Amino acid sequence: MEDKIFKNISNASNNPKVFFFPVRHHSPAAARAVNELIDRLQPDAVLIEGPSDFNQRINELFLPHRLPLAVYCYFRDSGGERRGAFYPFISYSPEWQALQKGRSIGADVLFIDMPWSHICQMEAAKPNLPERPVLEEQRYADVHLRRSAYITRLCKEMGVDDFDGLWDELFEIDPELPLDEYVLRARAFCDNCRELDIPDPIDIERERFMARQILERMDKYKGSILVVTGGYHTSALEVIVTQKPVIDEPKIEINLPAEYGCTLTPFSNERLDSLTGYKSGMPGPGFYEFVWEDRSKNKSFDYRPLLGRLVNFLREKGVLFSTADLIAAGSTCRALADLRGHRDVWRRDIIDGLRGALIKDDLARGSTHPLLDVISDIFRGDSIGRLAEGTTVPLLMREIETILEELGLTPTEKKRDITLNLNRQDDRKRSRVLHCLRIIGIRGFSLAGGTEISSGIYLADVEEEWSIKWMPEFASSVIEAASFGPCLIDAASSALVERADKAGRDIKKASQLLLDAALAGLSGRIGKLAERLEAMVRFGYDFPATTMALDNLLYLYSYNIVLELENRESMTNLFLETYRRCLYLLENLGVSAQGDKYNVDGVRCIYAVYERCSGALGLTLEETGGVFRRVKEDLAQSPMLRGAAAGVLLSLKLIENSSMLSDLRLFYDPVLMGDYLTGLFALARETIQRDRDFLSEIDQWLIELNDDEFLEAVPSLRLAFTYFTPREKYYLSMQLLELKDANNPDKSTIDHQSPENLTVNAEQALLALRFENKLYETLSKYGLKGGTDVGKKSCS
């Protein structure tokens, strides 16, 4: 039996001491088989697919960590582009079991895959390669197997839905799958996938690299060598090692940049789950973790404790789940497993059994249900890794922990909210640290609010509100952020550079990056970011985006002393140039693909800047007012933008209230009126709500509309009146009622009812009006009393 197993594992007849073992990453069956094989084989060395540049720290993998964790490799080329890759491990990963079992028998355990930095440089040198993810990759991903045409055909033959279901049927469900049978199936499965696939050039180079590592170890060890790799590579490695074509070739020498390396980082089940993060991982890692633990104690998997856990979780969520329901669900799961020929009740059996027994509603294809969401949560699991004491951590981790302790910002499990006054030096220092953490993506620190400048109200104290809470992902986020740089300032600066490169010609993002640099105190980056933004503004044609940039610059200009900005004169010049560019774009604005609402927001920003900074910047009323006057009088411009321009002119007292009435009559069309008022109210609602003549004119226009016209006008009118607060709307209605009482002194209509007592919202009122109109139409149709009242309505 032993000879049969070893013969199946290694077909390299002239290398009888090298045994190639195919695995699927994160497969409990593969992990169990590799454990058994190491026990039987007792190899001198176990060579594993993994980053070979981590071998100098491989002993750290044998510390008492809490799984899952990952080897995180990072690389930054000379142009500043950053790449990252994860090699994740969970308790049932065959690579993890090979590491632990190999060490336990005294074998040398080593990774043999090409370093991630080499892979990145090779990809950069071969531009015709298929597009790859830029930032992060999951290296233990079975994408080669999943994409094979062989899998599609085999799924159809076996009557399963996908790759995961196919692998479960062939390898996972049978708890007593013999080692030799596993090897036979895995070799046939993976070799056929490889046969029908066209290997990636980078994968071919990786396989040559791994083969070279194997050949070097063959000369070193007298005993047997076990090679554990993804099954897709097994046959190719076997051929290369057997033929020894690379033994006389020189090693690939790649000049590495300074910024690269490997480190350990905590991982989580959520990131491992193929349904939420790890696109090529196992679906529901918590389920397979439960199976692994249960089968380590018993020969078969008992699904009932897992079903009980599901029921308890449902009851905690308030879902009614009786004992009878539990019995019915368990019976259905077992029956489905028997029907499908499963010795153990499996993942799909449990899902389908609970769905069939407990979900009574029809579900559309692809839709979800609260019960299915709970099942997904339980099957995913909530495990979050933690590194053991003695693990080497990046310098960034130690610096951040020290700074947080010094500033009293160390996160705890209890959330706390803090308010920082940037006028105070100590709070300003805290703010800069927190912004640096936000920029590099450290979990547990979020900016909840702060001083708003675009409202036009100047506040002497600039405040920020932050929420701080320890999160399990804190350590992993710091470790992964270390790829940006060894210290907090360098890391934040590098992160901003990366974002700036990705932002391209996006003016809004460029201005936000400039603001972030200022808030984080990264004075070394502000100059270049400002130059970049200035070039974008000078040649940009996106009016809403340019006004958003103006809004960010307004904050910087208003509080440049508090933020301690350097070279304030150049920042002032950028602010002024952006303002004038906004005026130019506004006057030459055509039909907007983004919608007029964004343009109105842009007009509000321009007006806020003029109100706040006209004196300091030397902005003239003639220049600004002239642009808004021309926009207001432009017949080709949209009603909403013309209304906004009129609102600015009214607020600046460049036109009289009386002239607004004649302008209003230009938009009596029901389709136009609401849009015009939206723009007008956005900029001048305080002035308009005190003008009784204007309100009376709108009321009279509403009364004269017929039913169809009124219903057509309602949506845009509702948008227009959203600019008024509830109390302002109440007093508007009171003014209208007073106007009616003045015109009808014998019929007082005022009922001084406070807004709090009004129980009918706008949607209900509109539905009632439609019903009323239908009722009146029916009355008129049959000549009944009341039908002649159709169309009598009022704004009040």
Side-chain angles (χ1 to χ4, degrees), residues 752-784:
H752 291 285
Q753 196 177 24
S754 67
E756 291 78 5
N757 294 328
L758 299 176
T759 58
V760 179
N761 61 37
E763 291 183 3
Q764 290 174 322
L766 184 58
L767 289 173
L769 181 62
R770 286 174 175 165
F771 173 78
E772 183 181 275
N773 289 337
K774 188 67 177 177
L775 176 62
Y776 285 149
E777 288 174 5
T778 306
L779 291 173
S780 296
K781 180 178 179 181
Y782 294 101
L784 299 177

Side-chain angles (χ1 to χ4, degrees), residues 156-173:
K156 186 176 181 180
E157 288 290 328
M158 296 193 64
V160 295
D161 294 333
D162 52 26
F163 173 82
D164 298 309
L166 180 63
W167 183 270
D168 281 352
E169 291 287 338
L170 292 174
F171 298 95
E172 301 294 346
I173 296 176

Side-chain angles (χ1 to χ4, degrees), residues 403 407 409 420 422 425-439 464 466 488-489 492 516-523 526 560-566:
I403 292 174
L407 298 179
L409 297 174
L420 303 179
L422 301 193
Q425 182 66 34
D426 54 345
D427 276 1
R428 189 155 61 243
K429 186 176 181 180
R430 291 188 181 93
S431 170
R432 288 174 175 173
V433 168
L434 291 171
H435 278 291
C436 284
L437 296 177
R438 177 180 61 83
I439 288 170
E464 290 178 345
W466 289 85
L488 185 57
I489 295 297
D516 286 342
L519 292 171
L522 305 176
S523 56
I526 291 177
N560 62 76
I561 297 177
V562 174
L563 297 174
E564 298 179 325
L565 295 182
E566 299 177 358

Side-chain angles (χ1 to χ4, degrees), residues 568-583:
R568 295 170 192 165
E569 183 178 351
S570 64
M571 291 295 294
T572 300
N573 293 335
L574 173 60
F575 186 35
L576 183 58
E577 183 174 353
T578 306
Y579 177 81
R580 288 187 170 138
R581 184 66 179 176
C582 289
L583 287 179

Side-chain angles (χ1 to χ4, degrees), residues 339-386:
L339 185 65
R340 292 165 174 168
H342 297 168
R343 176 171 169 177
D344 285 348
V345 176
W346 207 246
R347 181 176 61 91
R348 192 72 250 174
D349 303 325
I350 297 173
I351 294 174
D352 292 342
L354 288 171
R355 182 171 180 167
L358 302 177
I359 299 179
K360 310 304 181 183
D361 305 323
D362 291 332
L363 289 180
R365 184 176 180 83
S367 62
T368 187
H369 184 277
L371 175 63
L372 298 180
D373 293 338
V374 169
I375 294 173
S376 295
D377 290 342
I378 293 294
F379 279 9
R380 180 181 306 121
D382 56 3
S383 297
I384 297 175
R386 177 170 290 184

Side-chain angles (χ1 to χ4, degrees), residues 68 72 77 179 193 274 322 341 348 368 372 455 615 651 677 724 769:
Y72 177 64
D77 62 20
L179 176 58
C193 287
S274 63
S322 66
R348 192 72 250 174
T368 187
L372 298 180
S455 62
S651 298
L677 293 179
F724 294 97
L769 181 62

Side-chain angles (χ1 to χ4, degrees), residues 546-677:
T546 307
T547 57
M548 291 176 187
L550 182 67
D551 189 42
N552 285 330
L553 291 172
L554 173 60
Y555 188 99
L556 291 177
Y557 179 79
S558 299
Y559 296 120
N560 62 76
I561 297 177
V562 174
L563 297 174
E564 298 179 325
L565 295 182
E566 299 177 358
N567 201 356
R568 295 170 192 165
E569 183 178 351
S570 64
M571 291 295 294
T572 300
N573 293 335
L574 173 60
F575 186 35
L576 183 58
E577 183 174 353
T578 306
Y579 177 81
R580 288 187 170 138
R581 184 66 179 176
C582 289
L583 287 179
Y584 170 81
L585 293 176
L586 174 62
E587 189 168 1
N588 294 276
L589 193 63
V591 178
S592 172
Q594 295 176 298
D596 282 329
K597 180 67 169 58
Y598 293 98
N599 293 333
V600 171
D601 291 340
V603 171
R604 295 177 74 186
C605 179
I606 294 173
Y607 175 64
V609 170
Y610 183 85
E611 282 286 279
R612 284 277 294 108
C613 310
S614 57
L617 292 177
L619 305 177
T620 65
L621 191 59
E622 181 181 3
E623 177 188 21
T624 301
V627 170
F628 283 111
R629 193 180 297 277
R630 289 189 289 273
V631 171
K632 181 182 85 73
E633 296 171 355
D634 184 357
L635 299 180
Q637 192 50 265
S638 69
M640 193 179 294
L641 202 58
R642 293 178 68 186
V648 173
L649 294 171
L650 192 62
S651 298
L652 294 176
K653 297 182 172 53
L654 293 178
I655 59 175
E656 299 293 333
N657 287 28
S658 57
S659 68
M660 294 299 299
L661 292 176
S662 58
D663 289 342
L664 182 65
R665 295 181 181 115
L666 297 175
F667 301 96
Y668 263 22
D669 188 318
V671 178
L672 305 179
M673 177 63 82
D675 288 343
Y676 177 78
L677 293 179

